[in-house]
């Protein structure tokens, strides 16, 4: 049996706070990263990715105090990215509480850092983050500089070279779907998942729970990541997991509510239960479990 | 006053997370690479993320191999190894060459055997198969998931294996003998299931203290 398919929350940092990103161009404020992490952890998310999207461009590294605060607020694995340029940066981030690091610009500009970091910290610790846009002819190219500049590299080829260099996972970001809520780029994910034998995390385009079902039932992605929809939908993680479970997908259910009897609207949001049903509800006191 | 849990600080990996998780359980723990702290500790945790060879080199250069062995094997202190900390207690590892381990349990660390459809590294949440009435898994069940992230796996005597994770082949998830228990997964990163596992570990010496 393989591992459970993972639901990963991506926290995008800009100017020190979590933001909602739309097309890598417009940004709406969400709030403090450690508070977002605490909520997501409570809701049963399987992993958290914390990315400072301006760090590389501003020639600095993601703020260590923020990493420490986020790490202290969650009991799930934490991947951190933003301005990592050396093995020392990787070491500092791990000491601050990161379980894995995500290399985006470094994977393109200094691919030898992937191997050097993997040698020190193990391949399981290194995530290659790839921003991809489709060209007018449908080809999927790797983009650099905040998904603005076409590198001319094919997405699947580049993913393969990252895996060969020593990456343990691929974080595949369909940049042209960022914030659009129109579903994952399934063909892109499948092409990359077929090209490598390391886990692929798909990001970009999730807007409702059925998108997760589409992704995990039709591609080889190990994990589905989302950013915006997890912040702006009520009970998002539990709702997604409930829909995935009902679709027969093997996921981890560890939150206190499994939403088994809760109806959903077509867009995956919680529906109001009928008055008569609520009146018949038997209230049961469930004490908080003491670990 | 009893000495706290000592988390061995030897420059390998995300040790703050282990302290955070123990703190969530109300168990004070300190990070240390000092042999006097190991001697005074009530229990020892050896975490670790990284490469086997560098980890052993660090333990040697900090002069920790002797003191750790003395406390865990000699004095039978409760010991928890996590991830690389589990692999290090084996006799040797094939990761990037051939390296000698602490040798507290027989066996070797080898690459996860490649299988079609099973990506390596093994990253993510897996259920475990464990024996009935194992106190290490009190209040946990077959649906409890634990977080794994590794490319190498420990092969040891079947009598020492307390739990396995099915990944095309059974992977050693927990090994244990007397005072030693060690996990391939990260209990400090396995949310509520992980906290319960850690509580089961700390209960071993908390109960002894209370008695």
């Amino acid at each position: 049996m393989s591992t459970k398919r993972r639901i990963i929350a991506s926290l995008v940092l800009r100017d020190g706070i979590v933001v909602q990103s739309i097309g890598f161009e417009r940004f709406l404020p969400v709030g403090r990263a450690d508070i977002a992490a605490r909520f997501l952890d409570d809701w049963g998310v399987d992993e958290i990715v914390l990315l400072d999207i301006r760090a590389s461009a501003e020639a600095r590294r993601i703020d260590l105090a923020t990493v420490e605060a986020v790490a202290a607020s969650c009991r799930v694995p934490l991947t951190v990215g933003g301005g990592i340029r050396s093995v020392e940066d990787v070491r500092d981030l791990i000491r601050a509480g990161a379980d894995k690091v995500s290399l985006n610009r470094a994977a393109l500009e200094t691919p030898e850092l992937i191997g050097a970091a993997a040698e020190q910290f193990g391949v399981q610790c290194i995530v290659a983050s790839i921003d991809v846009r489709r060209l007018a002819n449908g080809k999927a190219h790797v983009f650099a500089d905040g998904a603005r500049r076409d590198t001319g590299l094919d997405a699947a080829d580049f993913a393969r070279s990252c895996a060969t260099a020593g990456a343990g996972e691929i974080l595949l970001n369909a940049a042209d779907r960022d914030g659009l809520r129109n579903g994952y780029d399934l063909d892109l994910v499948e092409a990359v998942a077929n090209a490598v034998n390391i886990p692929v995390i798909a990001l970009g385009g999730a807007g409702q729970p059925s998108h997760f079902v589409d992704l995990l039932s039709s591609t080889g992605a190990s994990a589905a990541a989302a950013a915006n929809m997890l912040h702006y939908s009520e009970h998002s993680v539990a709702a997604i997991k409930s829909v995935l479970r009902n679709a027969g997908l093997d996921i981890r259910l560890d939150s206190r509510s499994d939403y088994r009897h809760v109806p959903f609207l077509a867009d995956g949001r919680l529906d109001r239960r009928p008055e008569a049903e609520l009146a018949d509800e038997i209230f049961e006191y469930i004490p908080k479990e003491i670990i | 006053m009893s000495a706290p849990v000592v988390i061995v600080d030897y420059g390998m990996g995300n040790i703050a997370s282990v302290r955070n998780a123990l703190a969530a359980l109300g168990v004070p723990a300190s990070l240390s690479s000092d042999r006097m702290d190991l001697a005074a500790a009530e229990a020892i945790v050896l975490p670790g993320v990284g490469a086997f060879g560098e980890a052993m080199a660090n333990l040697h250069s900090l002069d920790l191999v002797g003191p750790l062995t003395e406390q865990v094997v000699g004095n039978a202190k409760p010991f928890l190894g996590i991830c690389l900390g589990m692999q290090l207690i084996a006799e040797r590892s094939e990761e990037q060459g051939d390296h000698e381990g602490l040798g507290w349990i027989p066996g070797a660390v080898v690459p996860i055997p490649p299988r079609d459809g099973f990506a390596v590294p093994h990253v993510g949440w897996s259920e475990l198969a464990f024996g009935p009435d194992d106190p290490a898994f009190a209040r946990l069940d077959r649906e409890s998931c634990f977080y794994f992230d590794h490319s190498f796996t420990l092969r040891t005597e079947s009598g020492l294996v307390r739990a396995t994770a099915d990944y095309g082949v059974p992977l050693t998830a927990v090994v244990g003998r007397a005072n030693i228990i060690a996990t391939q997964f990260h209990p400090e990163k396995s949310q509520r299931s992980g906290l319960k596992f850690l509580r089961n570990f700390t209960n071993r010496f908390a109960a002894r203290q209370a008695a």
Side-chain angles (χ1 to χ4, degrees):
Chain A
M1 184 168 80
S2 196
T3 47
K4 306 282 176 184
R5 312 298 277 280
R6 287 172 280 160
I7 303 301
I8 299 179
S10 164
L11 297 178
V12 176
L13 280 180
R14 198 180 150 91
D15 302 329
I17 64 162
V18 177
V19 296
Q20 176 179 14
S21 159
I22 299 159
F24 278 61
E25 279 167 2
R26 289 176 50 221
F27 302 96
L28 303 172
V30 173
R32 259 168 61 182
D34 56 325
I35 293 176
R38 181 168 307 149
F39 275 99
L40 289 161
D41 183 68
D42 240 15
W43 293 342
V45 82
D46 296 323
E47 200 165 323
I48 292 174
V49 177
L50 179 68
L51 302 173
D52 186 325
I53 52 170
R54 292 284 300 155
S56 279
E58 293 170 3
R60 59 171 176 81
R61 188 172 66 183
I62 184 169
D63 175 46
L64 286 182
T66 305
V67 175
E68 278 168 11
V70 170
S73 326
C74 65
R75 306 266 168 271
V76 292
L78 175 65
T79 300
V80 176
I84 299 167
R85 284 186 291 188
S86 67
V87 169
E88 266 47 63
D89 287 341
V90 177
R91 187 186 309 277
D92 291 347
L93 288 171
I94 290 173
R95 268 204 94 80
D99 298 288
K100 302 183 255 193
V101 294
S102 163
L103 304 178
N104 180 297
R105 177 177 291 219
L108 276 165
E109 293 180 358
T110 51
E112 62 278 7
L113 180 59
I114 295 179
E119 197 174 305
Q120 291 244 339
F121 307 104
V123 297
Q124 83 292 328
C125 194
I126 312 300
V127 180
S129 155
I130 307 177
D131 295 328
V132 177
R133 285 186 191 272
R134 283 195 182 277
L135 310 183
N137 62 10
K139 286 199 169 140
H141 277 192
V142 179
F143 274 63
D145 302 339
R148 272 188 214 90
R149 182 171 59 81
D150 185 0
T151 63
L153 297 165
D154 174 70
D157 287 346
F158 183 64
R160 199 181 292 118
S161 74
C162 289
T164 307
E169 281 182 280
I170 301 287
L171 175 60
L172 180 65
N173 186 16
D176 39 17
R177 298 200 175 213
D178 182 51
L180 292 188
R181 299 176 166 243
N182 55 350
Y184 290 97
D185 187 336
L186 302 179
D187 293 338
L188 170 68
V189 176
E190 187 60 5
V192 172
N194 283 336
V196 297
N197 189 34
I198 56 176
V200 173
I201 303 162
L203 175 63
Q208 52 179 275
S210 66
H211 293 154
F212 292 78
V213 177
D214 296 342
L215 174 78
L216 297 178
S217 57
S218 73
T219 75
S222 297
N228 303 335
M229 83 162 281
L230 298 181
H231 301 306
Y232 288 105
S233 311
E234 58 281 75
H235 310 284
S236 50
V237 178
I240 291 163
K241 289 195 165 189
S242 171
V243 171
L244 285 171
R245 189 180 72 165
N246 290 339
L249 285 152
D250 191 24
I251 47 151
R252 180 183 75 101
L253 291 170
D254 201 28
S255 70
R256 272 148 280 187
S257 167
D258 61 5
Y259 288 70
R260 203 183 312 221
H261 306 295
V262 181
F264 292 97
L265 297 166
D267 66 357
R269 300 180 72 159
L270 290 184
D271 195 4
R272 185 183 155 82
R273 293 172 64 188
E275 256 345 299
E277 199 181 306
L278 288 171
D280 288 344
E281 191 76 290
I282 298 166
F283 289 96
E284 184 188 358
Y285 174 65
I286 302 174
K288 188 176 176 192
E289 187 182 14
I290 295 164
I291 297 176
Chain B
M1 193 189 122
S2 69
V5 177
V6 168
I7 301 165
V8 183
D9 183 0
Y10 63 118
M12 297 302 288
N14 181 357
I15 52 181
S17 293
V18 180
R19 182 164 62 176
N20 287 340
L22 288 171
L25 297 174
V27 176
S30 59
L31 309 178
S32 175
S33 54
D34 185 326
R35 59 193 303 163
M36 299 308 289
D37 290 339
L38 293 177
E42 188 71 24
I44 295 171
V45 178
L46 183 65
V49 172
F52 192 101
E54 196 198 356
M56 280 310 295
N58 285 5
L59 288 178
H60 279 293
S61 69
L62 290 165
D63 200 15
L64 280 173
V65 174
L68 273 173
T69 306
E70 182 190 339
Q71 295 304 329
V72 177
V73 180
N75 294 345
K77 271 198 182 149
F79 171 86
L80 172 64
I82 298 174
C83 196
L84 182 60
M86 163 174 125
Q87 300 184 352
L88 291 171
I89 69 174
E91 289 167 311
R92 57 184 198 86
S93 170
E94 295 175 10
E95 184 177 356
Q96 296 169 14
D98 193 17
H99 303 278
E100 197 178 324
L102 293 167
W104 298 347
I105 60 164
V109 178
V110 299
I112 293 174
R115 288 280 166 116
D116 264 357
F118 292 92
V120 175
H122 169 219
V123 186
W125 299 80
S126 290
E127 292 168 0
L128 304 181
F130 50 83
D133 307 322
D134 186 335
F137 293 98
R139 299 178 304 137
L140 292 161
D141 58 37
R142 297 303 172 87
E143 274 150 35
S144 303
C145 294
F146 295 87
Y147 182 75
F148 288 80
D149 193 2
H150 63 123
S151 318
F152 287 76
T153 183
L154 172 63
R155 286 234 183 94
T156 183
E157 286 170 13
S158 60
L160 297 176
V161 177
R162 301 268 287 271
T164 57
D166 181 0
Y167 198 60
V169 292
L171 299 178
T172 303
V174 179
V175 290
R177 173 168 77 190
N179 59 309
I180 295 175
I181 192 155
T183 66
Q184 181 61 65
F185 58 82
H186 288 272
E188 79 282 13
K189 288 287 164 180
S190 298
Q191 242 208 3
R192 294 162 59 76
S193 301
L195 290 180
K196 285 183 191 172
F197 185 92
L198 287 173
R199 176 68 83 196
N200 293 339
F201 170 69
T202 63
N203 276 348
R204 289 165 48 179
F205 49 90
R208 197 180 62 187
Q209 262 178 280

